[in-house]
Amino acid sequence: MSRFQVKKVAVLGAGVMGAQIAAHLVNVKVQVVLFDLAAKEGPKNGIVTKAIEGLKKLKPAPLGVPEDASLIQQANYEEHLDVLKECDLIIEAIAERMDWKTDLYNKIAPFIADGAIVASNTSGLSITKLSEALPESIKPRFCGIHFFNPPRYMTLVELINTPTTEPQVLDDLEAFVTSALGKGVIRAHDTPNFIANRVGIASMLATIKEAENFGLSYDVVDDLTGKKLGRASSGTFRTADVVGLDTMAHVIKTLQDNLGEGKTPDPFEGMYGTPPVLAKLLESKSLGQKTGAGFYKKVGRDIMRLDPESMEYVPGGAKANEVVGRMLKKPAGERLRLLREAEGAEPRFLWAILRDQFHYAAVHLESIAETARDIDFAMRWGFGSKQGPFELWQQAGWTQVANWIKEDIDAGKAISSAPLPDWVFKGPVAEAQGVHTPEGSWSASANKFIPRRKLPVYERQHFPEDVLGAKAIAFETAGTTLHEDDAIRLWTLDAAADIVIASIKTKMHAISPDVAEGLAMGVELAEKSYKGMVIWSNHEMFSAGADLQAMLPAFMMGGAAAVEGAEAELQNVMLKMRYSAVPVVSAIRGLALGGGCEMAVYSAKRVAAMESYIGLVEVGVGLVPGAGGLAYIARRAAENAATSTNKDILPFLTEGFTGAAMAKVGTSAIESRKIGYLLDSDVIVPNKDELLYIAINEARAMFDSGYRAPHKRAFPVAGRNGLATIKGQLVNMRDGGFISAHDFHIASLIAHVVCGGDVDANTLVTEEYLMTLERKAFCSLLTHEKTQERIMGMLSTGKPVRN
């Protein structure tokens, strides 16, 4: 069986997007060569070199670890076009100029390998027009590929075909982008700005207009249109500043150049004019975050907002009315009714912008997207919305909301006089009371419901994201339940009945005594009748650590001794997992902190999504890791020292000690591997929806290959000499004012445990011995006033207290 393989990718253009696309390819272990023009002075690759150096400084970081920037091969069009012959995929990402892009295509065409796919990362130019510059032999392998910025973090990638693109090319590229790059793919029609930017920018323009209509300041609008509305926390105007007002203006200009009278007709063309305030900001070169001023400006520690009347910056930080916040917590139908019928400017503004987006999406569905699902995914994956416009409309009551929109259109309140399409009120959509059904999502162009594309790559996703109304099987009720209580569910998936899955159910998946008991039960079940156990939940949270609130009653009633018993039980569960007769695999996604990190490191293997944030963070609440985390650090140091000619353990202990003492969290699975919480043998998964599939396969493969738990071995520790060295450094940090006296105390306790206590260097100890030291350190801190302040501060505010 032949399949499309991407061994090497060329990215053409070392600008902001091109360089970051190259960085993400490095993150997922794809060889990449980054091209740009030859520099006029100095080394010919100077432009690319500068771009790659810039990647190390960008925030949020485009690279998993900065040093991987060296893995990006550098090239220029003058000397290295032959390198293109080695590439299976060529992504063009130069400036948004049709003439520049077509000139480049003419230059590279003779060097494109047979079978290689060529794709343009344009955000809105016509893919069909771009294809006309390519030879006939390459046109079937050419398409659009639109990454959203920043490409490491944004889920959405739009693929756009031309009339000559071979369907198999899009299928192959979708499989690669989904599985290898970890993205969510939608297919967009070749229309201006495609789907996400078409709907998203239209929504932002409507928001700017409605904010002016209702007399609302930018900070209030951002408070209303951020998390309260289920959208990105940055709201509208802050998002524009982050993206760049020049970028926003470019996307608006694409609409202006291609839609309206004498072009492609669009009943919303009246809203595509550049807002006067945006024009003034562009004229003054105030382009947002990149220039230090846009709709907002930071002055010292204060965030100032623009007053559009005076074009001066005034104090910001105003919030929306609390009454509106309470309205937004109501069920969807009641929420929209309250917003529409309210007297105040803020709720009526919110109804107006929601109505405008519903209206726009419905009118344009037929021309810009295959189905309503694509528009909803585009807004979720590309603009950070929890729901797409059609999902919210359907949830609130399809016919009722449709009638409200119609009434506003008829009354001249809507942003366009265009009527809603007939399919909104009659036919299959009206009968189904929405555009999303178990059979598929509505296609206005095909006049029917169309199911999701069934490509082999999606067979790896047991519980993929889906839209409201599709009634996809929820993981909480899927498969066969072996045991379930309020803390944990132990179950098997019908497609993998030989593996126990443990899904924690507590808030933030905190590890309570009941969770620990459930994990122990899971191991026993797996050892008795199954091939292994996978710890997994379909949420952005593996585990935030031990449940402090569950610990407090025991502490209040029995003091530190009662807590020590609970800690001993938790440590025993970790050892039970490590020495289980069948493999325990942790499938990590999102946060794995404190006890969550310990649960991971005591598993036989870890399968981690790329965006996993792993660390021992107990010092934030004035404690030390107490479920085996410090014993793990000491053991790994001894294991690493054993493979080296340097038998001094201390150098191998430094990274682990620092990580625990400074509460260092890996900012990606790649960095977590560097810190030591993931091993080279662990698997990093680009697509979070493939995590369970891969974890199950890893557990099964380990069992089938004759898995045996590791021997329980004694191992050497650094002893009192290592402890003295570390404490000397801590004294300098304390006396220099870098850490507080309590930080010094906690770090000293951590050092005491990881060095093995008051013993000679290279004394052999066991995990149980170190865990005893851990418990004693943990419980001694519970009675400390400063630790109690940190715990209560965290429980009441969710933020660490520095004391």
Side-chain angles (χ1 to χ4, degrees):
M1 182 182 74
S2 64
R3 63 189 177 95
F4 177 65
Q5 288 188 323
V6 179
K7 297 178 182 176
K8 191 171 189 176
V9 176
V11 177
L12 312 182
V16 173
M17 281 301 291
Q20 290 195 69
I21 291 169
H24 187 59
L25 287 161
V26 165
N27 289 337
V28 297
K29 294 187 175 179
V30 175
Q31 290 185 57
V32 60
V33 53
L34 181 61
F35 278 83
D36 212 301
L37 297 168
K40 293 179 181 178
E41 297 179 358
K44 290 289 184 69
N45 285 337
I47 294 173
V48 175
T49 302
K50 184 178 179 182
I52 291 174
E53 285 302 307
L55 290 172
K56 301 175 186 178
K57 304 169 188 174
L58 276 180
K59 298 293 181 183
L63 289 158
V65 288
E67 52 265 38
D68 279 355
S70 64
L71 299 176
I72 301 174
Q73 183 180 343
Q74 301 183 25
N76 65 77
Y77 305 126
E78 189 176 301
E79 299 177 307
H80 305 118
L81 287 178
D82 275 344
V83 176
L84 292 175
K85 296 176 181 178
E86 306 168 8
C87 299
D88 310 294
L89 173 62
I90 298 170
I91 299 173
E92 171 269 304
I94 69 170
E96 293 285 80
R97 284 271 302 267
M98 181 74 71
D99 55 341
W100 290 0
K101 289 177 184 285
T102 54
D103 284 349
L104 181 59
Y105 295 174
N106 289 327
K107 183 182 292 186
I108 67 170
F111 301 92
I112 296 172
D114 293 341
I117 294 175
V118 184
S120 174
N121 184 54
T122 176
S123 60
L125 295 180
S126 169
I127 303 301
T128 301
K129 286 183 180 178
L130 286 171
S131 73
E132 292 169 1
L134 290 165
E136 293 299 320
S137 60
I138 297 175
K139 284 182 181 179
R141 295 179 274 127
F142 177 76
C143 64
I145 182 169
H146 182 210
F147 289 85
F148 269 63
N149 190 23
R152 170 185 161 185
Y153 300 95
M154 297 302 289
T155 301
L156 181 63
V157 171
E158 295 174 311
L159 297 184
I160 310 98
N161 69 311
T162 75
T164 55
T165 307
E166 287 184 357
Q168 188 61 47
V169 165
L170 284 180
D171 288 350
D172 288 341
L173 193 54
E174 182 166 346
F176 171 72
V177 171
T178 299
S179 195
L181 304 189
K183 300 303 174 188
V185 172
I186 61 174
R187 304 273 186 100
H189 294 332
D190 190 10
T191 55
N193 290 336
F194 312 129
I195 296 176
N197 274 344
R198 181 71 173 271
V199 178
I201 292 298
S203 182
M204 291 180 79
L205 287 170
T207 300
I208 294 171
K209 181 65 176 174
E210 301 291 5
E212 182 182 334
N213 289 345
F214 288 97
L216 299 179
S217 62
Y218 299 144
D219 45 6
V220 170
V221 169
D222 280 351
D223 189 44
L224 287 168
T225 60
K227 285 188 175 181
K228 285 184 172 71
L229 201 60
R231 296 182 178 179
S233 58
S234 50
T236 301
F237 294 98
R238 177 62 183 153
T239 296
D241 273 358
V242 171
V243 170
L245 303 190
D246 53 342
T247 301
M248 182 179 176
H250 169 78
V251 178
I252 294 171
K253 190 173 187 304
T254 302
L255 298 176
Q256 295 168 347
D257 290 346
N258 293 279
L259 301 171
E261 189 175 349
K263 306 157 192 169
T264 302
D266 189 326
F268 288 77
E269 65 176 292
M271 68 184 289
Y272 298 147
T274 304
V277 64
L278 178 59
K280 291 177 183 177
L281 287 168
L282 293 170
E283 186 179 348
S284 66
K285 306 296 183 186
S286 300
L287 306 180
Q289 186 170 276
K290 68 179 79 174
T291 61
F295 289 109
Y296 296 95
K297 181 179 181 180
K298 190 172 183 180
V299 180
R301 294 187 177 182
D302 298 325
I303 302 296
M304 312 289 281
R305 67 161 175 86
L306 183 70
D307 174 17
E309 294 296 324
S310 65
M311 292 302 291
E312 299 289 335
Y313 289 93
V314 299
K319 298 294 183 182
N321 191 305
E322 291 182 5
V323 174
V324 180
R326 291 197 290 272
M327 289 182 185
L328 291 174
K329 294 178 181 179
K330 300 289 185 181
E334 184 181 357
R335 182 191 327 156
L336 295 192
R337 179 184 61 78
L338 288 170
L339 295 175
R340 186 171 186 267
E341 296 175 356
E343 294 295 326
E346 292 177 18
R348 288 187 295 126
F349 159 79
L350 284 176
W351 161 250
I353 65 169
L354 291 171
R355 174 205 63 213
D356 293 342
Q357 191 178 60
F358 298 155
H359 186 191
Y360 191 90
V363 170
H364 288 91
L365 173 59
E366 181 175 359
S367 63
I368 69 173
E370 183 180 60
T371 73
R373 181 191 313 108
D374 296 313
I375 289 181
D376 281 346
F377 276 157
M379 299 314 294
R380 278 163 51 175
W381 294 341
F383 280 81
S385 296
K386 287 188 177 179
Q387 286 183 306
F390 287 119
E391 290 180 289
L392 175 56
W393 181 349
Q394 182 166 333
Q395 186 182 28
W398 185 264
T399 299
Q400 178 63 80
V401 174
N403 285 328
W404 287 338
I405 299 169
K406 183 179 184 302
E407 288 173 18
D408 281 9
I409 295 171
D410 293 344
K413 296 179 180 179
I415 208 156
S416 167
S417 61
L420 288 172
D422 288 344
W423 56 260
V424 171
F425 295 101
K426 57 188 178 183
V429 171
E431 292 166 10
Q433 282 297 289
V435 291
H436 302 307
T437 70
E439 292 73 40
S441 292
W442 182 249
S443 170
S445 55
N447 201 39
K448 63 180 181 180
F449 294 107
I450 295 179
R452 292 189 73 172
R453 192 169 284 104
K454 292 188 181 298
L455 296 177
V457 66
Y458 294 123
E459 295 174 7
R460 297 162 62 90
Q461 300 181 0
H462 289 305
F463 301 97
E465 279 193 64
D466 217 326
V467 285
L468 180 141
K471 296 185 179 178
I473 297 173
F475 84 95
E476 291 92 344
T477 56
T480 301
T481 299
L482 307 176
H483 165 81
E484 185 168 14
D485 54 36
D486 290 340
I488 197 168
R489 181 184 181 219
L490 304 174
W491 57 291
T492 59
L493 193 62
D494 293 341
D498 53 351
I499 301 293
V500 175
I501 303 169
S503 296
I504 300 172
K505 297 168 55 180
T506 52
K507 184 179 179 181
M508 299 182 74
H509 298 166
I511 303 171
S512 64
D514 289 342
V515 169
E517 186 178 333
L519 290 171
M521 183 188 302
V523 171
E524 291 168 5
L525 282 169
E527 286 181 320
K528 183 178 180 181
S529 306
Y530 299 88
K531 290 185 174 182
M533 183 173 86
V534 169
I535 305 171
W536 171 88
S537 295
N538 196 24
H539 294 297
E540 296 288 350
M541 179 77 68
F542 179 69
S543 173
D547 189 340
L548 290 175
Q549 286 184 315
M551 184 194 304
L552 287 178
F555 179 70
M556 297 300 292
M557 292 178 64
V563 174
E564 185 172 1
E567 281 296 294
E569 287 300 315
L570 186 54
Q571 290 175 337
N572 288 336
V573 170
M574 298 300 173
L575 292 173
K576 193 179 188 76
M577 288 165 51
R578 174 167 164 74
Y579 295 107
S580 166
V582 296
V584 175
V585 175
S586 280
I588 306 164
R589 171 185 170 193
L591 299 179
L593 305 178
C597 175
E598 291 167 313
M599 187 162 57
V601 299
Y602 276 87
S603 299
K605 194 162 196 171
R606 288 137 296 277
V607 174
M610 178 67 71
E611 297 308 321
S612 296
Y613 306 91
I614 307 172
L616 297 170
V617 296
E618 285 84 353
V619 296
V621 288
L623 295 168
V624 299
L630 300 183
Y632 167 79
I633 289 170
R635 174 171 59 77
R636 283 297 299 160
E639 290 168 350
N640 290 332
T643 64
S644 169
T645 55
N646 180 6
K647 299 308 177 185
D648 181 6
I649 295 171
L650 188 59
F652 300 95
L653 194 60
T654 303
E655 186 84 53
F657 165 76
T658 303
M662 304 298 290
K664 188 174 181 181
V665 176
T667 57
S668 67
I670 299 170
E671 188 178 18
S672 294
R673 175 179 276 162
K674 180 183 174 184
I675 295 171
Y677 298 134
L678 297 179
L679 308 182
D680 287 342
S681 56
D682 293 331
V683 181
I684 296 176
V685 181
N687 195 311
K688 60 182 175 53
D689 290 335
E690 295 185 2
L691 194 62
L692 179 59
Y693 171 88
I694 292 172
I696 286 172
N697 282 353
E698 288 290 328
R700 183 184 291 130
M702 292 170 74
F703 179 90
D704 289 344
S705 61
Y707 175 80
R708 291 281 178 179
H711 285 294
K712 283 193 174 186
R713 298 178 185 274
F715 49 87
V717 289
R720 63 177 69 90
N721 291 344
L723 176 58
T725 301
I726 294 174
K727 287 193 73 171
Q729 294 170 345
L730 291 174
V731 167
N732 290 336
M733 292 180 70
R734 180 196 62 195
D735 294 348
F738 296 104
I739 59 175
S740 70
H742 195 48
D743 289 329
F744 171 82
H745 177 57
I746 297 168
S748 298
L749 290 175
I750 291 173
H752 181 79
V753 177
V754 298
C755 290
D758 187 19
V759 297
D760 293 334
N762 293 314
T763 296
L764 296 179
V765 302
T766 64
E767 288 168 297
E768 289 85 353
Y769 165 79
L770 290 173
M771 285 181 170
T772 300
L773 297 183
E774 259 189 21
R775 290 198 306 276
K776 291 186 181 301
F778 185 93
C779 293
S780 72
L781 285 166
L782 278 177
T783 61
H784 198 293
E785 179 184 357
K786 295 289 187 183
T787 286
Q788 291 173 359
E789 287 176 5
R790 291 190 183 187
I791 291 174
M792 296 312 296
M794 178 64 75
L795 290 176
S796 59
T797 68
K799 297 178 181 179
V801 173
R802 306 311 303 172
N803 57 3

